Amino acid sequence: MCGIFGIFGHEEAANLTYLGLHALQHRGQESAGIVSSDGQKLHAHREMGLVGEAFSAEKLAKLSGRAAIGQVRYSTAGASKLENAQPFMVEYVGGGLAIAHNGNLVNAERLRRELEEKGAIFQSDSDTEAIIHLTAHSRAASLEEKIADALRRAQGAYSLLFLSEKQLIAVRDSYGFRPLVLGRLKNAYVLASETTALDLIEAELIREIEPGELVVIDKAGLRSSHPFPPTRLGRCIFEHVYFAKPDSMLFGLSVYEVRKKLGMQLAREHPATADLVTAVPDSGVPAAIGYAQVSGIPYDVGLIRSHYVGRTFIEPQQSIRHFGVKLKLSAVRQVLKGKRVVVVDDSIVRGTTSRKIVKMIKAAGASEVHLRISSPPTRWPCYYGIDTPSRQELIASNHSVEEIARYVTADSLGYLSMEGLGEAVQDKSASTFCNACFSGNYLTENFLTKTLSPPETPERSRVVSA
Amino acid sequence: MCGIFGIFGHEEAANLTYLGLHALQHRGQESAGIVSSDGQKLHAHREMGLVGEAFSAEKLAKLSGRAAIGQVRYSTAGASKLENAQPFMVEYVGGGLAIAHNGNLVNAERLRRELEEKGAIFQSDSDTEAIIHLTAHSRAASLEEKIADALRRAQGAYSLLFLSEKQLIAVRDSYGFRPLVLGRLKNAYVLASETTALDLIEAELIREIEPGELVVIDKAGLRSSHPFPPTRLGRCIFEHVYFAKPDSMLFGLSVYEVRKKLGMQLAREHPATADLVTAVPDSGVPAAIGYAQVSGIPYDVGLIRSHYVGRTFIEPQQSIRHFGVKLKLSAVRQVLKGKRVVVVDDSIVRGTTSRKIVKMIKAAGASEVHLRISSPPTRWPCYYGIDTPSRQELIASNHSVEEIARYVTADSLGYLSMEGLGEAVQDKSASTFCNACFSGNYLTENFLTKTLSPPETPERSRVVSA
Amino acid sequence: MCGIFGIFGHEEAANLTYLGLHALQHRGQESAGIVSSDGQKLHAHREMGLVGEAFSAEKLAKLSGRAAIGQVRYSTAGASKLENAQPFMVEYVGGGLAIAHNGNLVNAERLRRELEEKGAIFQSDSDTEAIIHLTAHSRAASLEEKIADALRRAQGAYSLLFLSEKQLIAVRDSYGFRPLVLGRLKNAYVLASETTALDLIEAELIREIEPGELVVIDKAGLRSSHPFPPTRLGRCIFEHVYFAKPDSMLFGLSVYEVRKKLGMQLAREHPATADLVTAVPDSGVPAAIGYAQVSGIPYDVGLIRSHYVGRTFIEPQQSIRHFGVKLKLSAVRQVLKGKRVVVVDDSIVRGTTSRKIVKMIKAAGASEVHLRISSPPTRWPCYYGIDTPSRQELIASNHSVEEIARYVTADSLGYLSMEGLGEAVQDKSASTFCNACFSGNYLTENFLTKTLSPPETPERSRVVSA
Amino acid sequence: MCGIFGIFGHEEAANLTYLGLHALQHRGQESAGIVSSDGQKLHAHREMGLVGEAFSAEKLAKLSGRAAIGQVRYSTAGASKLENAQPFMVEYVGGGLAIAHNGNLVNAERLRRELEEKGAIFQSDSDTEAIIHLTAHSRAASLEEKIADALRRAQGAYSLLFLSEKQLIAVRDSYGFRPLVLGRLKNAYVLASETTALDLIEAELIREIEPGELVVIDKAGLRSSHPFPPTRLGRCIFEHVYFAKPDSMLFGLSVYEVRKKLGMQLAREHPATADLVTAVPDSGVPAAIGYAQVSGIPYDVGLIRSHYVGRTFIEPQQSIRHFGVKLKLSAVRQVLKGKRVVVVDDSIVRGTTSRKIVKMIKAAGASEVHLRISSPPTRWPCYYGIDTPSRQELIASNHSVEEIARYVTADSLGYLSMEGLGEAVQDKSASTFCNACFSGNYLTENFLTKTLSPPETPERSRVVSA
């Protein structure tokens, strides 16, 4: 996952991009980068680490000009290196070009192979580099046509920002997998993955960039086109479930309100007899509050999250025990002791963390732990930009809910149904969202080598007593 | 403020101290340090920054031995330098000696002057250095007697850990201002500012170190004495209100439960007609939940706290606007829009942050903002270890509640009463707590040059309509 | 300028490359990089700074495999950035490929334009990237043929090392501008810019890579071919005058001996009546010794060079004076006082440094300063890899020797003649060397935009009395 | 060893101290520090590393005021830590006080023990801390009297700079072991270990601080006193032999000229039949030139020193061979091949480096290697501030010259005689110098625990054929 931000027409373009990236930091903590344009030339700085670590006042000052784009990138194992940090910046036949990408192409390997056969060289592991090659190879006349040309060949998820010396171009794939919004700050146009970045810099939200839309911003103003064949919508449901920041408006809905409704619906689908409802912080909090309101069981804080577990914290090597989640969460003994506890989390991936949390709550004295998950079982890997493990590692793809409950040592376990999920996002049939991680119904063909077994009939999610 | 941790009799003494300090990180983010003893020699490492930044696996590995003490130190303006980082380690006539201190001496300047007159030299700004000098100057035979000797001359707040080649010594002043607990991990004794550190390393809580107690731990085991003249108790009420971690047991009470009760009482004292209750995260959350439960007004999350504003984040210099609290908190527009909102915070210091928060909530669309503070007005500086500004800067020391409400632009403002506060800590007369920050009733004479005007009659805290 | 090193067939390939680069550090201090091959995969690390700063034991340990290439790069203004650090490493249709380059292409911009027109993208400023593109675009069957194909289109100076998963390939342009030698260490083949790198790792010198030769080293051993059309030789004379390390054998001659002979010839061409001969250290020392031996004037050390002026040393901003060369050189007053001094340096570029040195020697009490330069006037920029300024900045390209002497405040100034230079490198007609920097006789057409005025008739170099 | 610098009365005091320390960098590379006074308050910065690494423009800017002192410190094993970096800065009864020390007290341990018995605490390993304690303990009225009082109790070598808010005080012990000179820059007084620091900042040399002199500089100007009982002189001969920078005037003599004379005398005492004279760079160069001039054997550069072996260069761990001196020196094969070579070095410590150098020269093809040392055999450790190993490790303290020659594999070995050494420093009887490292005639009693066997009759230094 990544967060992207762009601005055109403001004298503090790089400074505002820096702030905008800070607001999007939850979307990626591995690396941060900004490319600015002074109208004649692009200027770049990329570095590993958080936005606040990657940029100093001195480095920002070098990023001159009234237009800029930036990216924060998520840390995925093995590829954490500066070569992969974005925005990429290249020179091509048209001059300088920078690109910031949120999403993932499913035909990246095929494109790469084809491009290499034509003589292209790749300096990163990233699928984004293929997009730049395709753009540079296009015979179309203008940059926007080249980009459209290139992206007609790309399949998968992309919200993209391009910066040339003279233009800022924003594109979103026709499925609309990843978010991208347009705002205005005085005379400047602003683009961001989420509205929280607009709010921070006090920019006004104009609208979403539409799925399949290509927007060009330059001195002449803003013009929009829809150069791609239309498809059904496939907006990522998991952005609402987990990924986006709760204060953002996403796909027209309040993330916070959606999450609270997920919890409300969860309370209806999987009630529990309990003394209190608590959340796995921070992502589980809105759903837990919703669960508490519908169930009438009081909400309380049974788990505290530490603010200080960053990238630099390393467990002592010699140590016999593995501390893991304990370094991040601590249980409030006096709240939990002797209580029947409903714990609300957004999802279960491998099950190992959930198991540790349930055990921690029991060690703090809870008499019963009822785990409630505000989404259906995660059974399928995402090929559209969320970092999920393979089917083998996803506990729900090869275990029943009963088995999972037993593994995580919960007294009961309830997952939200697909219907309940659809309800919360005001799309019962879920025909405008991608829910492949739950259903296996991928919206695109997949050409990645990470092989994919055919979707099994997903068993109905239900409460089980362990 | 600071957090201290010590352990005696464990082969992973430094590693466990590192983990214990991580659990106490909320008590100080400026610097971190550990001194270990291998029985013959002390080994030290101190560095600016968070625990995870200050120590690498390599640095920890050099801290050999079965005993260690550590400290995390709070950043106070002007004195943020390595020379002040603790534990201090010195050589004196008895060999090596390290000290970690939580608290503040009120006669530090006088002691310093006296010591300097005898020829002592000081390398730090810290009052802790005076304690070491006094200890080294004592003619008493044993280290524990030297320490007792020294501390009989010290006035003020101190929870202290001393480490020599052979002994770990813990002391708490007779007022019991600052917390200190004793635990056990297998055959090792553990000491920590708060129980959350014991919980992390899975040590068992034995008891608090008593006010006025001196505990010596060495090969022969643990022995306790009470070498100081008894006084009334003066446990710091502000630890419960704000400073301690909610999952800790403090002075025998659950911090979380106390804070929730403060909010419950606040709802009784200062009810409001409103649509929702929200907290200033994270410290205001338990009180907000308590307020919601008593008032029947639903609790919701109207403000989100960023996890990524650390020491390295610098606002762009050039920028016209000052972002301040906006970099740390963001408002959830959909929750707040058109609502009458009760906002619960633990205290108001200068009023500037509260003003920004109220404005942020109104900008997000709230129709009314009713600010509720889960403690009485903070009118007096603390001389016992909490970093508060001078009377001039404390808004409540020279403004009425009405004036404060107007300044922070709240529609109403209510502070908890002293009685309500006493209720929550099960000490109505508050005779076992120090509440000088609210009442001006200091428990010790004060010799600091930061001059102190005589306590005025505090006006009754009440709700006012602005 | 750059230094390159490669090794094939040694279990400590990366470690030896690290040592070899250290020996070549004088050829470039900006950045250092190593790429190794473990037979299946390439591993890379590049960083700004000296070899010793760029690599830690940990980073070296990750560069596994029995083959490696490395590069040290020179700092040229404006382009000092990690993106330009070498070896470059890319993926292309044939797999992984790394390249280390010493030299400069004169048709780089034209190649770049042509490649961009075909859709190529460039991520660095470097001409080396064009070579990789050409190689990747070639339709030839094998890597060596692709490389030959590519280089047939490249014009200018190049000594190159390529590393694929299975092969190490070395190439030198037909002019032989830049050096490259082949050695053996047990069963491993070693390649290096200079013999000093072979000496350090105790490898045996086999021979030079011949101008126009392409050498492939793999499991099958070493094979050589000459795939490029023959040209006249154009070995860089300036390597002998200034750039190479004195203990190296270069183009079959000892650098030290050549420099000493330059000084001897200089004494014959431009004698002086003086009390002592001194050098501008370190590059002027051998010529000064040669001058002293022929002239019979005693050699002494009148200028001391500081070992501690590195990249990090910054002059205080506030300071009124500019210290410049004084931070690097200091005059030995007792040696110079009251003396008539011959100062030998290798060349004069802008004249500003020479002026400061002459003034420093006079300030130390010298009664006369006779500046002797062990090469002809530097009048033309180098397009083949030496970093020289434009004609406008080269003092000798638009000033007479008399004028230069006056500017640098020397009592007399003498440059070595072209004939004398030829003598020292045993090539009187200089038909096997490139001396374009002195003569303007460039051996290739030049397509660079840095425009070039037609060579004027160089005035005879002679002694002048100022 | 250390270098110290101070200035009083210049608006760029810290900047000039930074430059002065850079000029003294050869005297210590471990740490650098500056303390300035703005008249009211002292400001300090100390850091590990070279001057250029320890200070940034930003850090220098914080060191405000018109007076400053600084120190560069030498790296001695085991004690390389920030706590030992100087200048030390403390608060004592008289206010702030900083101290920079070059030298070593022989009664440091005894003083420390006595001070600890009086209650003093020590935070460093350094003997300098004892001087501050003694100063702070003194009952004398003024700072200068306190310092005199303190130093009457100190035995050993010290050149000291003290800085208070109002005064800069310089002291040199009565033996005059370590150098210290006084200069003037406009209206400012400057103090420095060596004249090279005055030269860099273009200050004028006034005179040496006399042995036993105490100089106070303040608003009222400069006043001098001699508060210590007179002793014989004991100026360190090894400063001239090896330690000082050749362009400095030291104890009234030119270091360069002394070294050259050492080489001249060495040629008379230990002639050789040889083809060339070469030096172990850089310290051996002046003596080698002197040897060449007297012997008539040509001087040439047979060994090249690398500029790039700094603190960060680490030999690869895995490597089978140990490179050691080869990383620093390389042999010029064409100069040495087939030649009978005289190699001049300043001293032999353990013999291991000399052995490697002789072997390197032979490996480069020399037919004979005649090692000449420009000082007598180093047989005794220095207790006055030069870092020498114990007697056990000094090869000359337990081996004959024949044995040493054999060990270092030289064809002959000759050490300069004590008489020859005296000649060069214009003190035949050497009654004004300390030569304890050669003779064992220590000028003070020694109380250090590093035990010292009684001086044996030193065997006459002479040439031997191996």
Side-chain angles (χ1 to χ4, degrees), chain C residues 10-12 15-16 18-19 22 25-26 29 50-53 55-58 60 185-186 196 199-202 245-247 249 254 256-257 260 282 285-286 289 293 298-302 304-309 312-321 323 326-328 330-335, chain D residues 10-12 15-16 18-19 22 25-26 29 50-53 55-58 60 185-186 196 199-202 245-247 249 254 256-257 260 282 285-286 289 293 298-302 304-309 312-321 323 326-328 330-335:
Chain C
H10 196 290
E11 56 189 10
E12 288 199 60
N15 285 346
L16 290 165
Y18 167 77
L19 291 164
H22 169 65
Q25 187 77 79
H26 62 287
Q29 297 91 47
L50 298 180
V51 176
E53 296 164 348
F55 290 93
S56 61
E58 214 173 41
L60 276 174
L185 178 63
K186 291 180 193 161
T196 185
D199 288 344
L200 176 60
I201 63 165
E202 292 173 13
K245 212 165 149 195
D247 56 305
M249 290 298 295
S254 157
Y256 184 84
E257 285 193 345
K260 198 169 154 190
D282 286 351
V285 169
I289 290 173
Q293 287 185 9
Y299 170 76
D300 239 319
V301 179
I304 304 282
R305 175 170 166 170
S306 167
H307 295 297
Y308 305 108
V309 178
T312 54
F313 196 87
I314 292 160
E315 292 195 37
Q317 297 182 310
Q318 199 191 329
S319 182
I320 340 132
R321 283 180 306 279
F323 284 86
K326 288 196 66 177
L327 294 170
K328 209 164 163 179
S330 47
V332 185
R333 200 178 285 266
Q334 251 55 27
V335 167
Chain D
H10 196 289
E11 58 187 7
E12 289 199 59
N15 285 347
L16 290 165
Y18 167 78
L19 291 163
H22 168 65
Q25 187 77 77
H26 62 285
Q29 297 91 46
L50 299 179
V51 175
E53 297 164 347
F55 290 93
S56 62
E58 214 174 41
L60 276 174
L185 178 64
K186 291 179 194 162
T196 186
D199 289 343
L200 176 60
I201 63 165
E202 293 172 12
K245 213 165 149 196
D247 56 306
M249 291 298 296
S254 156
Y256 183 82
E257 285 192 347
K260 197 169 154 190
D282 285 349
V285 169
I289 290 173
Q293 287 184 8
Y299 170 75
D300 239 319
V301 179
I304 305 283
R305 175 169 165 171
S306 167
H307 295 297
Y308 306 108
V309 179
T312 55
F313 197 86
I314 292 160
E315 291 196 36
Q317 298 182 309
Q318 198 191 329
S319 181
I320 340 132
R321 283 181 307 279
F323 284 85
K326 289 196 64 176
L327 293 170
K328 209 163 162 181
S330 46
V332 186
R333 202 178 284 268
Q334 250 55 27
V335 166

Side-chain angles (χ1 to χ4, degrees), chain D residues 266-293:
Chain D
L266 187 58
R268 287 179 206 111
E269 296 187 10
H270 301 299
T273 308
D275 304 307
L276 68 95
V277 175
T278 196
V280 177
D282 285 349
S283 53
V285 169
I289 290 173
Y291 193 104
Q293 287 184 8

Side-chain angles (χ1 to χ4, degrees), chain C residues 26-27 194 238-240 242-246 248 250 255 259:
Chain C
H26 62 287
R27 296 184 72 86
E194 296 184 30
F238 212 70
E239 291 266 359
H240 266 301
Y242 165 74
F243 204 74
K245 212 165 149 195
S248 283
L250 194 91
V255 174
R259 287 189 192 160

Side-chain angles (χ1 to χ4, degrees), chain C residues 218-240:
Chain C
D218 57 19
K219 272 196 172 169
L222 179 151
R223 62 183 178 281
S224 162
S225 61
H226 285 77
F228 310 113
T231 63
R232 60 155 282 187
L233 285 180
R235 301 171 305 166
C236 172
I237 193 78
F238 212 70
E239 291 266 359
H240 266 301

Side-chain angles (χ1 to χ4, degrees), chain D residues 224-238:
Chain D
S224 162
S225 62
H226 284 78
F228 311 112
T231 63
R232 59 155 283 187
L233 284 181
R235 301 172 304 168
C236 172
I237 193 78
F238 211 70

